[in-house]
Amino acid sequence: MKTLALYRGTHCLVPQVRHARTWYRRLFGLLVLPRLRSGQGLLIEPCASVHTLGMRYPLDLLFLSGEGQVLGWREAVPPWRAAAQRGARSTLELPAGTLATLSLRVGERLHWRPIPDPSPIRAANGDLR
């Protein structure tokens, strides 16, 4: 799974975001991944609505347009709920409490930068794969 970082201008807002683009990754989202820590997120694309069915902790949700424009957000969405944003192309799932620290504004543009894989795999001979 590709890893990205979310930026406002030159300031990094979320340094480690996994990008879920396949049907399987979008369907199961965080249910098959370790619990998010501070500075982490899961970007689901395409996605205008999410559910927290089966989750054991609340999430902050950030809805973005295809151009990275902030369309809206929901804070501390508890387990067993759903949330949607009309016109959203992607949804960023974050640990609850993250959005309160970001000072976002509806309409502002954010952008993504790829980051190197945080856990490279070494072959038996020691070479990176």
Side-chain angles (χ1 to χ4, degrees):
M1 187 179 315
K2 189 175 182 181
T3 306
L4 306 167
L6 180 64
Y7 281 80
R8 175 192 293 129
T10 59
H11 179 69
C12 183
L13 299 175
V14 186
Q16 188 179 13
V17 177
R18 292 179 180 210
H19 193 186
R21 295 189 71 167
T22 67
W23 176 86
Y24 174 82
R25 295 281 188 198
R26 290 189 341 256
L27 177 66
F28 290 103
L30 291 173
L31 291 174
V32 297
L33 295 173
R35 185 177 181 146
L36 292 173
R37 296 185 317 252
S38 178
Q40 294 181 324
L42 178 69
L43 178 66
I44 305 171
E45 185 179 26
C47 178
S49 65
V50 296
H51 66 80
T52 58
L53 304 177
M55 296 298 296
R56 289 171 274 179
Y57 53 92
L59 294 172
D60 282 356
L61 305 172
L62 176 60
F63 297 98
L64 301 166
S65 73
E67 296 77 35
Q69 185 176 20
V70 174
L71 300 177
W73 59 84
R74 310 291 182 281
E75 295 184 59
V77 176
W80 300 97
R81 301 293 194 286
Q85 178 69 48
R86 185 180 212 174
R89 171 72 179 152
S90 60
T91 303
L92 177 58
E93 298 180 336
L94 299 161
T98 302
L99 289 173
T101 67
L102 300 182
S103 301
L104 297 172
R105 293 181 315 273
V106 171
E108 78 175 304
R109 287 192 193 263
L110 306 176
H111 62 276
W112 298 98
R113 292 186 190 168
I115 63 170
D117 182 0
S119 56
I121 300 170
R122 291 202 177 271
N125 66 1
D127 292 340
L128 290 177
R129 288 196 265 166

